[in-house]
Amino acid sequence: MKYINKKLTVEKTNFQKIANKYGTPLYCYSYTKLKENIINFKKNFNSFSPLICFAIKSNTNLNLLKEIKKFGLGADVVSAGELIMALKAGINPNKIVFSGVGKTSEEINFAIKKKILLINAESFSEIKEINKIAKSKRQKVNIGIRLNPNTDAKTLNQISTGKKENKFGVNKNTFYKIINFCKNSNHIDLKCLSVHIGSQILDYRPYEKMLRAVSIILKKVNHNFEFIDLGGGMGISYSNKDKKLNYKKYNIAILKFLKSHNTKIIFEPGRSIVGNAGTLIAKVIYIKDSERKKFIILDAAMNDLMRPALYGAIHKTLPVIKSNKISKKTYEFVGPICESTDRFLTLNKFQELKEKDLIAICDVGAYGMSLSSNYNLRLKPAEILIKGSKVKVIKKRQKHSDLI
Ligand code: LLP
């Protein structure tokens, strides 16, 4: 994104023009950025050609998934809904892994029927349920076990998943017991060990630690895992203060791991593929003066982008048309929802805004639209894909009739 003649422009399209045409709030994705992210991700790990399963929870837009599929990516799904969406996008079932702590019997049945690559189980009870269902179908099912490596990902507490106090995966003792159970089962083929220690990880060292923990456990068990699924979690730079994840060091740690373990690596990235490819355009409805600050009341709210309210996440915000006038007062960007946490961010210095101006909330491609809701019975925004000067609506704005 850059300013051309003071207009914030992505690829060859300026946001003012598309906002006028498609309305606001509007999710805009850059095809070029998406492509660049996928190519870079592959390049970072090209020495061992991993299977890359896009974490659909980060962005569930069907048309976007179809584009992602064209680059040969598979999918990591966590519900029957996501599995249906992945299949609808044309993703080969043989490239789909199913994660999640609470898969229902119906979901397990459905996943078996669709012959997906792996069901990554997260408890002994789930393994027994898969075994029971597979037995009743007289089938053998490929599964993975998600290990909780008790590794601190050094990320936000709310998105940390690999510590022993987190609900995810099984501890090493249960892991050993499950291996024995699987060995004695005719209906389970234990093919994978999976881990996922958290999200928005910017330091490679937790990954190193996780690989060491996995390696120690693998050496203790007499079992050949065809796959090791390392999950996702690779962070992006939401602000200039965020350091960049050192992919080189992560790659080196994996290569070292692969020297003593002959296996195929799976990744489940979400944010690193779509995060910085998405921007939310919002319009200033009103400006309300208060004693110390001005409330910039937008037509986008926490139902459209939940990350700030949910995690205190900060998204860089830019004016769509640039001017040189800086506001004397602090701006607090808020939405119209009846919650005090419906607040995007507070800035001391922003260019002076007036009602009807547009702003761009950056890096919302991951966990933006996918976490949106109809709270306050607000309509979900439209989504568009920008490719050069071409603009395609990839999801229509909801209508009130959709809500009834
Ligand atoms: N695999 C599993 C099993 C996961 O639970 C997740 C994310 C991923 C892969 C993808 O992680 P990524 O590469 O996108 O970091 N809503 C939060 C993030 C929650 C992540 C949940 N799991 C946010 O907005 O930051």
Side-chain angles (χ1 to χ4, degrees), residues 41 53-58 76-78 97 99-100 120 122 146 156 158-159 161 168 194-201 207 229-235 238 267-274 306-307 310-311 313 315 366-368 370-371:
F41 193 94
C53 295
F54 174 65
I56 285 195
K57 64 172 81 70
S58 63
D76 161 48
V77 301
V78 289
V97 299
S99 314
N120 283 342
E122 302 214 21
R146 177 159 172 193
L156 281 179
Q158 300 100 309
I159 51 176
T161 52
F168 304 98
S194 83
V195 275
H196 171 78
I197 57 171
S199 201
Q200 183 54 12
I201 299 171
Y207 283 126
D229 180 342
L230 297 176
M234 296 81 167
Y238 284 104
F267 285 121
E268 303 169 355
R271 192 188 315 264
S272 49
I273 303 293
V274 285
M306 175 116 105
R307 298 193 73 252
L310 196 57
Y311 311 110
H315 286 266
Y367 309 108
S370 69
L371 263 95

